[in-house]
Amino acid sequence: MWNYSEKVLQLFHNPINQGSFKPSDDPTTAIAVGEVGSIACGDALRLHLQIEVAEDRILDARFQTFGCTSAIASSSALTELVKGLTLDQALQVTNGEIADYLGGLPEAKMHCSVMGQEALEAAIFNYRGIEREELHEDEGALICKCFAITDSKIRKVIAENGLRSAEQVTAYLKAGGGCGSCLVAIDKILEESNPKSDGPPQAPLVVRLQQIDAVIEQDIRPYLKADGGDIQVCGLVGDELHVQLRGNCSTCSSSSDTLRYAVEARLRERLESNLRVVQVP
Amino acid sequence: MTIKPITYFDNNATTQVSQGVLEAMLPFYRESYGNPSSMHHFGGNLSLQIAQAREQVAALIGAESTEVVFTSCGSEGNNSAIRSALSNNSSRRRIITTAVEHPCVLNVAKQLQSEGYDHVVIGVDGDGQLDLGQLEEALKVPTALVSTMAANNETGVVFPLEAIGQLVKTAGALWHVDAVQLAGKAPIDLRSLPVDLLTLSAHKIHGPKGVGALYVRRATRFQPWLLGGHQERGRRAGTENVAGLVGFGQAAEEAKEAIENDVIAQVAKLRNRLEQGLLARIPDCVVNGGGTTRLGNTSNIGFKYIEGEAILFSLDSHGICASSGSACTSGSLEASHVLRAMAIPYSVLHGSIRFSLSRFSTDEQVDLTLQVMPEIVDRLRQLSPFSDDDVSWLQQMELAPNP
């Protein structure tokens, strides 16, 4: 049984923006469509964007999804996230932002957020008349043959999400999750993407958690408390710090900004530059 | 959140312990907690209870009680059966299984391959039925062991045991049968079936978890897998799980009565009403394995163009428990190896739901499922970009993970 956040369940049971747009004769708007995934792989998303031509801006978005609970919720989240963005801004949206919007996804389901990001890219490139393949000229090598995943895609997701293990790559991209033949190749890409640092070896978990607690106590909690909120550390898994926001923070609409800019940025600056802060339900 | 009454249609995963089983077990936790190997009456007398449980389990499958070795679970039974069979036949380093075996057989076979054994896999047809011609062909090469299920956990498809037995025995190989799903749901009589080793599990027949049995035909050489004390006539060491064994015995007796009194036929009627009701109410669905002999309690239905986990989550909000062979529910990223071996199209496969009933299933539970399922499927289909088999996406089959 997957442990989904309330937000995932809410958007699964009552999705926002499902469906597509009726064709319109209005010359000031255009419809762009992006399709990713396949029924064979077990999930697929068709994203529809209504674009204001003069401003190059997304007026509205709809989705059609074949997939599991979190695939449906991720698609719905994506449509909410991109409304009002210019196409250039939308291209900057990462899968992490989709996951954050959902209050986090189980790691094994992160590929649902990646699918959302890819559909967005596909829709915008379709609209602009760019072949997606042309943009990745260097993507020579097909790494995962089961799920048709290339090395450039793997490198991109490793970099954007700070991935450290082949298991994480599988959770985000499915790559390596079929026959498993490419796991060695994924290990190699990880090695190249995460060069071993020359710095001192990482401190033991207990020491790291104590350091994190100290920084939160001194530099973070006072600010959150000033706004009627609080933060609770739930655990540290690799470079991923699991936290819960409490009080006003837990219901605040900018809680993902709080996490990223107030909590994660400060901890990175003071302690570990690889640290990722993730909100858990 | 209000707690809904549970509709438990996942009995091939595990079952509710029956009242009779629970009551039979409790005294062996509360009062008679001794060790049967002890040299005092308080413990030593328990061997009588174990002997009775052994007879009850033997009676369910038409065996003698000395042929029953108690284990901790079905997986242990399968692991030890295969290991023992191969160690007794060192000149033949070849094992045959079917493509749809439980992972506790397939993963042992995979391990054996890395130890230098040949592992031959026999395929199934679109209904999940065994290809007997392929088995006959494979048996032309000297083979140590053939391991086949009696009935499949996902589809309920029952293999033709008599025909398989004849082929295996003609070829002079040992035959192991994983009967975990068939036992208690259909009669088994080992007096008329040339099985050498057969695996059972208590928790699939309303007994406790953590108890199983391996049938070892009289005079079959058996190499113990778990070494230690003299328990189980030296064939499986470890202090007996007395309460568990007593519970298994009681569960076996109740299962035998349920078969003899046609309770099992009632379960099949209920399953048929559920299955036919769903097919009548919902377009574009297929019964996986529907064209061949199946267990009376199992229905595996593929609801096209939608994904299994989303269906299960929706059912869960009505308190209905079922399971799925879709990739998202398998714990890995690949869909069920059973449904893939049947070459079921992906549009059906990912939306496959298994309903497995028991003698405790009720008409009301079937009614509830028939009531909510059409809405669930309709809602998810409206969300889906797929609605027929001709869209271009469905043609991209080469991207699919191969079994």
Side-chain angles (χ1 to χ4, degrees):
Chain A
M1 189 81 180
W2 302 105
N3 201 3
Y4 288 127
S5 70
E6 279 300 314
K7 188 78 182 169
V8 169
L9 293 178
Q10 185 197 324
L11 283 180
F12 169 68
H13 288 298
N14 298 298
I16 309 171
N17 307 324
Q18 76 175 82
S20 57
F21 294 110
K22 287 203 180 95
S24 134
D25 297 333
D26 181 1
T28 64
T29 63
I31 307 293
V33 176
E35 292 175 347
V36 291
S38 80
I39 206 163
C41 294
D43 43 24
L45 163 59
R46 182 185 287 151
L47 178 71
H48 308 256
L49 303 177
Q50 188 184 46
I51 295 164
E52 187 181 9
V53 176
E55 299 281 326
D56 218 23
R57 188 181 293 278
I58 299 169
L59 290 174
D60 205 352
R62 295 280 184 276
F63 76 92
Q64 292 172 294
T65 294
F66 164 84
C68 58
T69 308
S70 54
I72 289 169
S74 295
S75 310
S76 187
L78 170 70
T79 54
E80 280 294 281
L81 272 172
V82 298
K83 274 190 204 173
L85 299 183
T86 65
L87 296 186
D88 286 334
Q89 286 169 334
L91 282 174
Q92 302 304 311
V93 170
T94 64
N95 70 287
E97 286 170 67
I98 298 171
D100 286 349
Y101 182 92
L102 292 168
L105 280 173
E107 183 154 77
K109 293 287 188 173
M110 282 302 285
H111 60 84
C112 294
S113 66
V114 174
M115 181 171 77
Q117 192 275 328
E118 287 176 350
L120 180 60
E121 198 177 86
I124 295 173
F125 288 178
N126 274 343
Y127 174 68
R128 291 183 167 172
I130 308 169
E131 288 282 327
R132 281 179 85 211
E133 277 69 16
E134 283 174 22
L135 258 122
H136 304 291
E137 273 174 12
D138 60 339
E139 67 171 13
L142 183 66
I143 300 292
C144 173
K145 294 190 175 67
C146 292
F147 291 103
I149 315 251
T150 59
D151 64 341
S152 59
K153 196 187 249 183
I154 293 173
R155 281 176 212 281
K156 177 171 180 269
V157 170
I158 288 174
E160 281 182 2
N161 295 283
L163 305 187
R164 293 288 182 185
S165 69
E167 287 70 26
Q168 284 181 311
V169 172
T170 304
Y172 278 66
L173 279 173
K174 298 191 175 184
C179 69
S181 314
C182 63
L183 287 169
V184 173
I186 295 174
D187 281 340
K188 196 155 165 274
I189 296 175
L190 277 162
E191 239 170 67
E192 292 162 11
S193 305
N194 296 312
K196 286 203 175 62
S197 71
D198 298 329
Q202 213 166 37
L205 193 63
V206 184
V207 177
R208 291 169 68 204
L209 275 170
Q210 281 171 350
Q211 291 169 341
I212 289 168
D213 273 339
V215 172
I216 287 177
E217 195 54 49
Q218 284 170 19
D219 288 352
I220 298 174
R221 185 165 284 128
Y223 297 102
L224 298 183
K225 285 218 157 151
D227 288 333
D230 199 359
I231 187 168
Q232 167 84 38
V233 173
C234 303
L236 183 59
V237 183
D239 290 330
E240 210 167 79
L241 183 68
H242 293 187
V243 303
Q244 282 177 339
L245 289 177
R246 296 278 169 86
N248 285 350
C249 294
S250 64
T251 52
C252 174
S253 60
S254 58
S255 62
S256 62
D257 288 344
T258 305
L259 272 190
R260 178 153 307 160
Y261 301 114
V263 183
E264 186 175 271
R266 191 141 314 167
L267 287 170
R268 282 185 176 186
E269 174 196 314
R270 295 282 307 273
L271 297 171
E272 300 174 18
S273 59
N274 292 326
L275 204 65
R276 291 179 58 232
V277 178
V278 179
Q279 190 170 6
V280 292
Chain B
M1 196 175 143
T2 51
I3 296 176
K4 296 192 175 63
I6 290 298
T7 294
Y8 190 76
F9 285 167
D10 204 9
N11 287 281
N12 288 9
T14 193
T15 57
Q16 182 182 20
V17 170
S18 79
Q19 192 61 32
V21 167
L22 182 65
E23 276 163 20
M25 291 173 70
L26 287 176
F28 299 93
Y29 290 117
R30 287 198 176 117
E31 295 121 30
S32 307
Y33 52 80
N35 186 326
S37 301
S38 294
M39 284 299 130
H40 42 67
H41 281 98
F42 180 67
N45 275 352
L46 293 173
S47 56
L48 298 173
Q49 309 289 338
I50 295 174
Q52 191 200 333
R54 203 182 301 282
E55 275 169 26
Q56 287 167 314
V57 172
L60 179 66
I61 54 175
E64 292 169 32
S65 62
T66 51
E67 294 175 317
V68 173
V69 179
F70 283 122
T71 63
S72 67
C73 60
S75 294
E76 185 196 326
N78 285 343
N79 271 262
S80 57
I82 294 172
R83 287 288 176 181
S84 168
L86 293 179
S87 68
N88 282 338
N89 208 338
S90 55
S91 62
R92 294 181 168 193
R93 294 176 66 81
R94 183 176 150 98
I95 171 175
I96 297 176
T97 71
T98 80
V100 297
E101 294 302 308
H102 191 274
C104 68
V105 168
L106 290 179
N107 284 334
V108 175
K110 202 168 153 190
Q111 171 75 22
L112 287 165
Q113 245 181 331
S114 73
E115 295 169 20
Y117 284 86
D118 280 337
H119 174 211
V120 181
V121 180
I122 307 299
V124 295
D125 66 15
D127 270 319
Q129 194 48 272
L130 194 67
D131 186 337
L132 282 171
Q134 212 183 332
L135 177 62
E136 189 172 10
E137 198 58 35
L139 279 167
K140 287 183 177 162
V141 181
T143 299
L145 174 71
V146 177
S147 179
T148 62
M149 329 179 103
N152 186 267
N153 48 319
E154 292 189 33
T155 57
V157 167
V158 177
F159 282 162
L161 292 179
E162 272 139 41
I164 297 170
Q166 211 165 12
L167 291 175
V168 176
K169 287 298 132 188
T170 308
L174 282 172
W175 185 24
H176 165 244
V177 172
D178 174 358
V180 164
Q181 292 294 342
L182 186 85
K185 295 172 190 154
I188 305 176
D189 190 353
L190 294 176
R191 283 164 295 209
S192 59
L193 209 56
V195 174
D196 299 295
L197 301 144
L198 179 136
T199 304
L200 300 172
S201 172
H203 77 102
K204 308 284 194 196
I205 60 166
H206 305 287
K209 295 171 183 65
V211 189
L214 180 66
Y215 160 87
V216 181
R217 183 173 290 276
R218 178 194 288 266
T220 301
R221 305 281 184 282
F222 185 77
Q223 290 288 337
W225 194 53
L226 195 56
L227 303 178
H230 55 84
Q231 293 90 351
E232 300 298 308
R233 296 172 179 251
R235 293 175 293 186
R236 200 274 185 186
T239 298
E240 292 89 342
N241 174 1
V242 181
L245 303 188
V246 168
F248 190 8
Q250 175 69 24
E253 189 170 313
E254 290 177 11
K256 188 163 183 283
E257 280 168 18
I259 293 171
E260 287 165 358
N261 299 336
D262 270 357
V263 176
I264 293 302
Q266 293 304 313
V267 176
K269 271 192 190 161
L270 211 53
R271 187 280 310 264
N272 292 344
R273 192 161 81 77
L274 174 69
E275 186 169 283
Q276 284 153 17
L278 288 171
L279 293 179
R281 285 167 177 78
I282 303 172
D284 288 325
C285 48
V286 188
V287 177
N288 297 319
T292 187
T293 319
R294 279 184 302 161
L295 293 173
N297 80 316
T298 308
S299 180
N300 189 315
I301 304 182
F303 299 91
K304 288 170 104 172
Y305 315 124
I306 53 178
E307 200 278 332
E309 194 218 79
I311 304 173
L312 289 185
F313 252 80
S314 308
L315 283 171
D316 190 63
S317 60
H318 295 281
I320 300 170
C321 309
S323 70
S324 166
S326 86
C328 275
T329 54
S330 66
S332 73
L333 289 165
E334 291 199 322
S336 143
H337 71 286
V338 175
L339 301 182
R340 280 186 293 140
M342 293 160 70
I344 288 174
Y346 283 98
S347 54
V348 175
L349 192 158
H350 284 296
S352 290
I353 301 292
R354 177 189 71 189
F355 300 96
S356 47
L357 282 61
S358 80
R359 62 178 195 260
F360 298 131
S361 303
T362 64
D363 268 310
E364 290 72 28
Q365 293 173 333
V366 169
D367 289 338
L368 174 70
T369 310
L370 289 177
Q371 182 202 322
V372 303
M373 203 52 195
E375 292 164 33
I376 290 171
V377 173
D378 189 50
R379 185 182 90 86
L380 293 172
R381 281 190 179 156
Q382 284 187 23
L383 281 167
S384 174
F386 304 120
S387 58
D388 63 68
D389 290 338
D390 297 325
V391 295
S392 61
W393 284 4
L394 294 182
Q395 314 310 324
Q396 301 173 3
M397 287 304 165
E398 71 279 8
L399 296 183
N402 293 314

